[in-house]
Amino acid sequence: MLGYLGPKGTFSHQAAAEWSQGREELKEFKTIYTAIKAVNDGEIDRCIVPIENSIEGSINTTLDMLAFDVDLFITGEHILHITQNLMAAPGVRDEDIKTITSHPQAIGQCAKLIAEKFPNAKIDFADSTSSGAKRAASGEKGVACIASPSSAEIYGLNILYPNCGDDTNNSTRFVILEKQQNMKVTNHDKTSIAFTLEDKPGILFSTLAHLADDNINLKKIESRPMKNELGKYMFFIDIDGNIDNAVIYFALDRLRRNTLFFKLLGSYHYE
């Protein structure tokens, strides 16, 4: 069973359907947190959750849970092209719209449209784009939403501004999370880790230098607050290659010996 951020019509639902291709049952959850927790607790086999958007950046809930809250592995990924659409119930016109609701990521991705066409509209954040669509379809006066084309079909809404995102090259990277590592090695793999370091000059440079010394490509690096103390950070990196490769394994082992905390998040095929 594959969990996803619901309800039906979310981009997560679309990603789940595309990735699973009917191979397994889908189960919706109200939040990313509850979907990930369900895998960790053994309620479902795996989940598909967003981890990074090409415009808005990383999904902090996913990163933080992987680092701090659960013992799960990334076993795969799926890239979904995102098409945002502003929609409302039949008969609602631009001048009727007083409130726009959607997931914060969707609101952020349509900032130009909102500023130009609806500068006085109240912005209400929802748990998901489809939650916003359900509200817009509920009969509440003056409410529009930003959601996927499938949400318009599911909830009987009219699309007033199709493909209205600030950037048409908008994609979200979803990851598959499971309790067991993916043991399948391909020629197009990525390894993700999280770690913390001592607070001293040059420590991040010297730690990552091991990767350069072994000619390992660093694909991504970012940091997140540790939350227990201001100024302390967790680093997340993605590198080319699978940990089953001896070069990758020993390079990460050397990196690990320079860290205060080290966690393998997974080796997996990437798109």
Side-chain angles (χ1 to χ4, degrees):
M1 182 179 290
L2 177 67
Y4 68 92
L5 172 64
K8 290 181 179 180
T10 61
F11 292 110
S12 292
H13 178 229
Q14 182 179 343
E18 288 183 5
W19 183 83
S20 65
Q21 296 182 341
R23 294 188 301 262
E24 56 189 297
E25 183 182 354
L26 305 183
K27 182 173 182 179
E28 67 179 53
F29 290 85
K30 290 185 177 180
T31 64
I32 293 172
Y33 177 91
T34 53
I36 296 176
K37 190 73 164 45
V39 181
N40 196 64
D41 293 346
E43 181 184 337
I44 57 175
D45 302 312
R46 59 191 62 85
C47 68
I48 183 168
V49 290
I51 196 169
E52 180 184 12
N53 177 262
S54 60
I55 298 174
E56 294 295 308
S58 293
I59 311 301
N60 295 333
T61 299
T62 302
L63 287 179
D64 288 349
M65 289 196 71
L66 284 173
F68 304 118
D69 300 327
V70 297
D71 292 314
L72 300 176
F73 295 97
I74 301 172
T75 60
E77 74 171 25
H78 181 70
I79 308 299
L80 181 69
H81 179 67
I82 304 297
T83 303
Q84 301 288 9
N85 306 267
L86 188 139
M87 59 191 73
V92 174
R93 299 167 299 177
D94 284 16
E95 57 267 30
D96 301 323
I97 295 172
K98 307 301 180 186
T99 300
I100 298 175
T101 180
S102 191
H103 188 274
Q105 287 271 351
I107 294 293
Q109 291 165 15
C110 299
K112 291 180 182 178
L113 172 74
I114 294 172
E116 292 173 3
K117 298 292 186 179
F118 306 99
N120 299 317
K122 178 185 176 184
I123 304 301
D124 279 352
F125 294 133
D127 289 335
S128 69
T129 55
S130 283
S131 294
K134 289 180 72 174
R135 180 180 172 187
S138 69
E140 184 177 349
K141 189 176 180 180
V143 176
C145 69
I146 296 170
S148 68
S150 60
S151 287
E153 183 177 349
I154 291 170
Y155 299 106
L157 299 173
N158 287 343
I159 296 178
L160 303 179
Y161 290 90
N163 197 16
C164 62
D166 297 347
D167 192 331
T168 56
N169 296 315
N170 182 7
S171 298
T172 295
R173 180 164 73 102
F174 289 82
V175 290
I176 314 303
L177 303 182
E178 302 184 55
K179 279 194 168 185
Q180 301 298 321
Q181 292 190 61
N182 181 6
M183 305 307 292
K184 184 178 180 181
V185 179
T186 74
N187 61 358
H188 203 240
D189 288 342
K190 180 192 297 181
T191 296
S192 300
I193 65 171
F195 59 92
T196 60
L197 299 169
E198 291 184 72
D199 185 11
K200 63 181 184 181
I203 185 65
L204 181 60
F205 172 81
S206 62
T207 300
L208 297 180
H210 296 303
L211 302 179
D213 291 343
D214 288 316
N215 199 33
I216 295 172
N217 183 35
L218 178 63
K219 297 185 70 66
K220 177 186 175 184
I221 180 170
E222 68 177 288
S223 62
R224 289 283 300 145
M226 285 291 292
K227 299 184 178 183
N228 58 356
E229 185 179 350
L230 187 65
K232 299 292 185 181
Y233 297 91
M234 177 78 71
F235 293 95
F236 296 84
I237 69 171
D238 293 345
I239 61 172
D240 266 329
N242 194 297
I243 198 168
D244 263 5
N245 181 301
V247 174
I248 302 294
Y249 178 87
F250 287 112
L252 290 183
D253 188 56
R254 289 195 299 275
L255 187 152
R256 178 186 57 80
R257 290 198 293 268
N258 282 344
T259 65
L260 297 175
F261 168 87
F262 179 93
K263 189 174 186 180
L264 173 67
L265 302 181
S267 285
Y268 50 96
H269 180 79
Y270 69 94
E271 298 183 0

